[in-house]
Amino acid sequence: MNKQSNIYTTIYIIVLVLIVGTVLAVTSLSLRDRQQDNVNADKMRQILASVKITANDGDIKQVFDRYIVEQMVINNAGEKIEGNAFDIDVATEIKLPDAERKLPVFVCKTDDGSTKYILPAYGAGLWGPIWGYIAVDSDGTTIYGAFFAHQGETPGLGAEIEKPAFCDQFAGKQLITDGNFHPINVVKAGQTPAGAEAYTVDGVSGGTITSKGVAAMLSNCLTPYKSFLENLSNK
């Protein structure tokens, strides 16, 4: 066949595309399990971060299994339902009415023997998704710790939600005060409403939209846990 002909060039390109496509497909399939393992490990690391526990890459699974003593799925009435908490896609669940959501709960037993309940959250920032985990004391009222992350917020501005200066504010805040449930407010520094100090934190400087996104995320994601938290509080 004439190598200078259009037919030869077309056949050559088609064969080359098929070969490259096959190689890429085989490579993707062979790495799928490893990629999923990395995603799972990162999720475990974030869950543990909300209770102030760190782990090296090599032993994240062992540390997670040591501290996370139970995983459960509940409904908005606080009742256990069937499901695997780790596999729940919170980004999908938040689009459903509260009564239809599957709500994951991760139960942590810390070194001092205390129990923490870790609740996931997912929402929207300025440039993309934001998410986090809120750890609550066994009283169902007091926040023990928090972890937040983002996909593409602006460095030095909205991206500051992942820094300790922002996350550490949540420790000690109250989700239930005087019998009333309050998702945590996020406001501009110095603008905390009178009487709301127990459930308000300062937003990040220059990241107004991201801060509002965190507030909306917490309201949307924590409110369905109200009955569950009230049940803990009443024990």
Side-chain angles (χ1 to χ4, degrees), residues 206-217:
T208 301
I209 296 178
T210 306
S211 298
K212 289 182 177 179
V214 173
M217 172 179 73

Side-chain angles (χ1 to χ4, degrees), residues 17-208:
V17 168
L18 290 174
I19 293 174
V20 172
T22 300
V23 171
L24 291 176
V26 171
T27 302
S28 177
L29 288 173
S30 65
L31 294 176
R32 180 174 296 175
D33 289 343
R34 183 180 301 178
Q35 291 170 340
Q36 188 60 50
D37 288 343
N38 290 337
V39 170
N40 291 344
D42 189 49
K43 183 174 181 178
M44 292 177 188
R45 184 181 295 106
Q46 294 178 16
I47 292 172
L48 291 173
S50 70
V51 284
K52 309 169 188 177
I53 295 173
T54 58
N56 297 321
D57 291 341
D59 59 2
I60 183 66
K61 180 66 165 59
Q62 292 80 0
V63 174
F64 185 84
D65 290 341
R66 172 188 172 187
Y67 287 100
I68 304 301
V69 296
E70 183 181 1
Q71 300 180 42
M72 57 184 172
V73 181
I74 63 172
N75 57 24
N76 75 324
E79 304 163 334
K80 286 187 180 182
I81 59 175
E82 292 186 1
N84 185 327
F86 197 85
D87 292 337
I88 296 293
D89 184 359
V90 179
T92 299
E93 296 299 319
I94 63 171
K95 300 174 184 177
L96 301 175
D98 289 0
E100 297 179 16
R101 293 190 197 181
K102 296 178 181 179
L103 306 171
V105 178
F106 302 91
V107 184
C108 174
K109 186 76 72 172
T110 59
D111 287 330
D112 64 3
S114 61
T115 300
K116 314 298 178 186
Y117 296 91
I118 304 169
L119 316 177
Y122 190 94
L126 175 59
W127 301 113
I130 56 176
W131 61 92
Y133 295 91
I134 306 297
V136 183
D137 283 333
S138 58
D139 63 5
T141 295
T142 309
I143 292 181
Y144 176 75
F147 171 87
F148 297 102
H150 63 92
Q151 181 172 295
E153 299 305 289
T154 307
L157 299 175
E160 295 298 300
I161 63 170
E162 66 183 4
K163 300 297 180 61
F166 179 73
C167 297
D168 290 351
Q169 296 182 85
F170 287 79
K173 295 299 179 179
Q174 303 293 303
L175 291 170
I176 300 175
T177 56
D178 299 325
N180 297 312
F181 177 80
H182 304 279
I184 303 302
N185 291 335
V186 183
V187 302
K188 288 185 178 181
Q191 295 187 10
T192 299
E197 294 83 1
Y199 49 88
T200 301
V201 301
D202 292 338
V204 295
S205 178
T208 301

